[in-house]
Amino acid sequence: MCVIVTAGKGAMPTIGQLARMSETNPDGAGIAWHDGTGLHRYRNPDNNQTLAFIIKNWETFRDMPCLMHFRLATHGATTEENTHPFRYRLSDGEHGYIAHNGIAHRHTKGRYASDSRNAILAWQTGQTDLTDGSQGRFAKIDQNGAIEWLHGGQPIQGERGTIMVSNTNWLDHGIDDMMGYDINEIRDEAYQMGYDDGQRELLDGAIPDWTPRRR
């Protein structure tokens, strides 16, 4: 079913929350964020690579508005091109990244195998409305770092602060495995694993050479 996550400045999901979202929706993950000077995106059809990237930059991302997505593929192959969030540009000059949760039933046929990409293309050109909920839930982050839910979104508590998610179907996934463990220890171990993986990816050139900017 996928899940969209948005977090404003000062808020981020916990490592446990991200792990459950990823395990429940394993077909690609991405993050878009605004660092105060511009909008950036990282996405990968391998969820582990995206999780490693997020964990590596954890403290920095917490100070920035972020849009994240974990995909459960229904239409279209598991590729980077079909991994959310997608780039968009509107006629008024607004541009940024957008993510979709659900099935856009009116857009399963079109230019792309992905119904999400077809729906977003139609929305950009004024051919469809994504705010009524009939085609699923959508959230976007624009060139100024403003986050907006076109439809859907419910608040839950993150690691610090409130985050917004498109659904909570993933909440009970793997919860028994987390019982009896210190979440801080899990977070520290995951951070180190993610940092090491991220460093290797940077050396291999798979992750863009982005220098975090604190605000």
Side-chain angles (χ1 to χ4, degrees), residues 129-148:
D129 179 13
L130 301 183
T131 64
D132 63 4
S134 64
Q135 303 308 299
R137 299 176 177 182
F138 293 84
K140 63 185 176 73
I141 183 170
D142 71 13
Q143 72 271 21
N144 299 313
I147 294 172
E148 180 183 356

Side-chain angles (χ1 to χ4, degrees), residues 73-93:
T74 56
H75 296 81
T78 303
T79 61
E80 181 175 330
E81 291 75 16
N82 290 330
T83 303
H84 309 227
F86 301 111
R87 194 184 306 275
Y88 77 89
R89 181 176 291 275
L90 303 181
S91 59
D92 62 2

Side-chain angles (χ1 to χ4, degrees), residues 5 28-34 38-57 61 65-71 79-87 96-99 141 194 197-210:
V5 192
I31 178 171
W33 68 97
H34 196 285
L39 193 59
H40 308 271
R41 174 184 62 175
Y42 177 78
R43 58 179 181 166
N44 198 302
D46 179 352
N47 286 30
N48 289 332
Q49 300 302 317
T50 302
L51 285 173
F53 181 69
I54 293 173
I55 294 168
K56 172 180 176 288
N57 296 291
F61 283 147
C66 297
L67 166 67
M68 292 163 271
H69 184 278
F70 295 88
R71 182 182 182 224
T79 61
E80 181 175 330
E81 291 75 16
N82 290 330
T83 303
H84 309 227
F86 301 111
R87 194 184 306 275
Y97 295 104
I98 186 169
I141 183 170
D197 290 345
Q199 287 296 95
R200 280 197 295 274
E201 292 295 325
L202 277 170
L203 291 173
D204 293 340
I207 289 178
D209 186 11
W210 170 73

